[in-house]
Amino acid sequence: MEKKDKILLFIPMYNCEKQIVRVLEQLKGEVAPFIAETVIINNRSTDNGENAVIEKLKSLELPFAANVLRNNENYGLGGSHKVAFAYAIKNCFDYIIVLHGDDQGDIANILPYMKSGEYRDFDCFLGARFMKGSKLQGYSKFRTIGNCVYDELFSLGTGKAIYDLGSGLNMYRVEALKSHFWEKYKDDLMFNYCMVLGGAYYKLKTQFFPIVWREDDQVSNVKMVNQAITVLQMLFSYVKNKKRFIEAEHRDKIILEYSAQTVFQSLPKDVL
């Protein structure tokens, strides 16, 4: 019998109280048997999201363990990834799925590849909003065109086909993360951009897959003009000297340890 992969589902959350309970509803379906554990990491939200998550988990009775962690500082989205990556490595998971807590993506989009086992062929299996088969709901044409232009630029800069620089649904082989090549990457929304460049530099086996992406009641944290300029500067620095870029310190603040405390634990319903 083929060994079942130990898969961690990581859900980052920050001020998405209304949306994250809908994300947790996604976990009741066909995806549940593939998940060994989920960890929801609260990046010091200022709303009531943490309590909303805990109450929702109590009512769901999921067939896998669920833990709610609270970062000891506001580390940013990238910093929360680092907490989750370290957790996955420490606890010997085979893969980690990232599903953002703002309910723009749907974990069902990765389910066909989990059923077929196709994800096992790749180190980075990345959801893409801007490739054939993807669907965008409530996303402006201006932003779509802008993202496609940047995808083309990054494709030219890396020599790899890039279809998204950072959606809210991604999957990584934990073995590929054990070198901690991601440790010095930016702690903010730019973390995924760095991951794309790092994956290209280290020749990680990467595949994109189409997803459905929606925007309705979410609040964007993206400052479009500033981010657009910063991302271009990042790409140019990478193209100019790839090794220097990859080995450089990209964080604005050096954090020696990305730590979090467990505030709630839920056991699988069959062992309660």
Side-chain angles (χ1 to χ4, degrees), residues 73-92:
E73 297 179 37
N74 182 326
Y75 296 132
L77 178 62
S80 290
H81 274 73
K82 294 173 185 180
V83 173
F85 286 177
Y87 186 95
I89 293 169
K90 180 180 179 181
N91 292 284
C92 302

Side-chain angles (χ1 to χ4, degrees), residues 167-233:
S167 78
L169 178 60
N170 296 307
M171 188 173 191
Y172 300 97
R173 189 194 309 274
V174 174
E175 186 66 33
L177 303 174
K178 289 183 178 179
S179 69
H180 287 250
F181 70 90
W182 38 267
E183 192 77 46
K184 294 182 180 180
Y185 290 168
K186 288 182 175 293
D187 285 333
D188 56 18
L189 296 171
M190 304 289 176
F191 178 80
N192 279 327
Y193 296 74
C194 293
M195 285 292 290
V196 168
L197 295 175
Y201 180 83
Y202 289 112
K203 296 181 172 56
L204 299 183
K205 295 179 66 176
T206 300
Q207 177 69 29
F208 291 88
F209 64 94
I211 62 174
V212 176
W213 192 256
R214 60 188 176 275
E215 287 197 357
D216 37 56
D217 61 350
Q218 293 85 2
V219 177
S220 175
N221 292 313
V222 177
K223 298 178 181 178
M224 292 181 63
V225 175
N226 289 339
Q227 177 166 313
I229 295 171
T230 302
V231 172
L232 275 182
Q233 292 172 337

Side-chain angles (χ1 to χ4, degrees), residues 140-153:
S140 73
K141 289 185 178 179
F142 175 76
R143 290 179 67 188
T144 299
I145 292 171
N147 275 279
C148 288
V149 169
Y150 271 67
D151 290 343
E152 287 293 332
L153 291 174

Side-chain angles (χ1 to χ4, degrees), residues 10-15 39-46 49-50 67-87 182 186-188 253 255 257-264:
F10 155 52
I11 304 176
M13 63 172 288
Y14 180 74
N15 288 354
V39 59
I40 300 101
I41 298 183
N42 176 16
N43 189 40
R44 311 298 296 188
S45 297
T46 57
E50 186 174 282
N67 295 308
V68 180
L69 275 60
R70 184 193 305 140
N71 287 342
N72 289 334
E73 297 179 37
N74 182 326
Y75 296 132
L77 178 62
S80 290
H81 274 73
K82 294 173 185 180
V83 173
F85 286 177
Y87 186 95
W182 38 267
K186 288 182 175 293
D187 285 333
D188 56 18
K253 176 184 176 182
I255 296 174
E257 181 182 6
Y258 293 83
S259 55
Q261 58 178 307
T262 302
V263 295
F264 178 78

Side-chain angles (χ1 to χ4, degrees), residues 86-139:
Y87 186 95
I89 293 169
K90 180 180 179 181
N91 292 284
C92 302
F93 284 92
D94 297 307
Y95 293 88
I96 178 171
I97 296 175
V98 182
L99 175 65
H100 284 192
D102 58 7
D103 194 37
Q104 290 183 289
D106 191 334
I107 198 168
N109 294 159
I110 203 172
L111 185 58
Y113 311 102
M114 297 179 76
K115 288 181 175 179
S116 68
E118 184 178 345
Y119 69 91
R120 296 191 182 100
D121 295 332
F122 308 102
D123 300 309
C124 308
F125 196 52
L126 310 177
R129 296 164 291 178
F130 311 105
M131 70 183 298
K132 185 177 180 180
S134 299
K135 294 181 180 179
L136 295 173
Q137 302 171 0
Y139 210 80

